[in-house]
Amino acid sequence: MHILTVLDHPNPKSFSAAVAKSFMEGARSAGHSVELADLHAEQFDPRWTMADVEADGDASAMEDVVQEQVRIARADAICLVFPLFWWGMPSMTKGWIDRVWSWGWAYDQLDDPEGSLQRQRPGVLLVPAGARSDEMEEKGYRLALETAWIRGTFGYFGVTPRKLELLCGADGSKERRDDLLQRSFQTGRDLCPVL
């Protein structure tokens, strides 16, 4: 299978970049091919502009959007890697989703989040977070993120099965970070069985 990993972090030496690398190594170890879309290195423009509005349903009008959609079309599974940023996605990830997973290409069933126009494929969100996992659970943050991203966004993507891996304690000790990188590797290895 071919797995697309979309990375959002401006620092190529960031923990998020290390997570993406570990995930892809795990996928390779299971016999999958991998592709990295490094949104910052590739200078993807996340701004939703009037040109996007005017393209409404005609994604062929936006060359950068078409390029991303071609990547998605060849992927058998998708992984998004970004740090938890103000309890949400950083602007680059959000803009990539807003522009690339457009109405008329990704979905047209506004009353049915599971009514994606895309074929089903497994997907995972790998999200480094400085917060502790018990804090995320107790305050309801994890449930809120799962509702927004797993039931919402990934539902429109046609991604199934889908999973949120919060990598809590990403600002912690070297041992903690090593454990999270190993978890990322295992997630890549286990994401989808080799056909």
Short mmCIF file of all heavy atoms in Angstrom, two decimals, residues 15 43 76 107 129 170:
data_model
loop_
_atom_site.label_atom_id
_atom_site.label_comp_id
_atom_site.label_asym_id
_atom_site.label_seq_id
_atom_site.Cartn_x
_atom_site.Cartn_y
_atom_site.Cartn_z
N PHE A 15 10.00 18.01 16.80
CA PHE A 15 9.53 16.70 17.23
C PHE A 15 8.46 16.19 16.27
O PHE A 15 8.40 14.99 15.99
CB PHE A 15 8.99 16.77 18.67
CG PHE A 15 8.66 15.42 19.22
CD1 PHE A 15 9.65 14.48 19.46
CD2 PHE A 15 7.34 15.08 19.50
CE1 PHE A 15 9.35 13.23 19.96
CE2 PHE A 15 7.03 13.83 20.01
CZ PHE A 15 8.03 12.89 20.24
N GLN A 43 6.22 25.03 0.67
CA GLN A 43 5.60 26.37 0.64
C GLN A 43 4.15 26.33 0.15
O GLN A 43 3.73 27.17 -0.66
CB GLN A 43 6.45 27.33 -0.19
CG GLN A 43 7.84 27.50 0.37
CD GLN A 43 8.69 28.45 -0.43
OE1 GLN A 43 8.44 28.75 -1.60
NE2 GLN A 43 9.74 28.96 0.21
N ASP A 76 -3.21 5.03 -0.51
CA ASP A 76 -4.10 4.00 0.02
C ASP A 76 -4.40 4.23 1.50
O ASP A 76 -5.28 3.59 2.07
CB ASP A 76 -3.47 2.62 -0.14
CG ASP A 76 -3.22 2.30 -1.60
OD1 ASP A 76 -4.17 2.36 -2.40
OD2 ASP A 76 -2.05 2.02 -1.96
N TYR A 107 -16.41 15.91 -1.09
CA TYR A 107 -17.75 15.61 -0.56
C TYR A 107 -18.78 16.49 -1.25
O TYR A 107 -18.47 17.54 -1.80
CB TYR A 107 -17.79 15.82 0.96
CG TYR A 107 -17.64 17.26 1.34
CD1 TYR A 107 -18.75 18.06 1.58
CD2 TYR A 107 -16.39 17.86 1.42
CE1 TYR A 107 -18.62 19.41 1.90
CE2 TYR A 107 -16.25 19.20 1.74
CZ TYR A 107 -17.36 19.96 1.97
OH TYR A 107 -17.23 21.29 2.27
N ALA A 129 1.50 16.67 21.65
CA ALA A 129 0.87 17.63 22.55
C ALA A 129 1.70 17.73 23.82
O ALA A 129 2.15 16.72 24.35
CB ALA A 129 -0.55 17.19 22.89
N ALA A 170 4.78 15.42 24.85
CA ALA A 170 5.81 15.58 23.81
C ALA A 170 6.90 16.57 24.22
O ALA A 170 7.96 16.59 23.60
CB ALA A 170 5.17 16.02 22.50
#
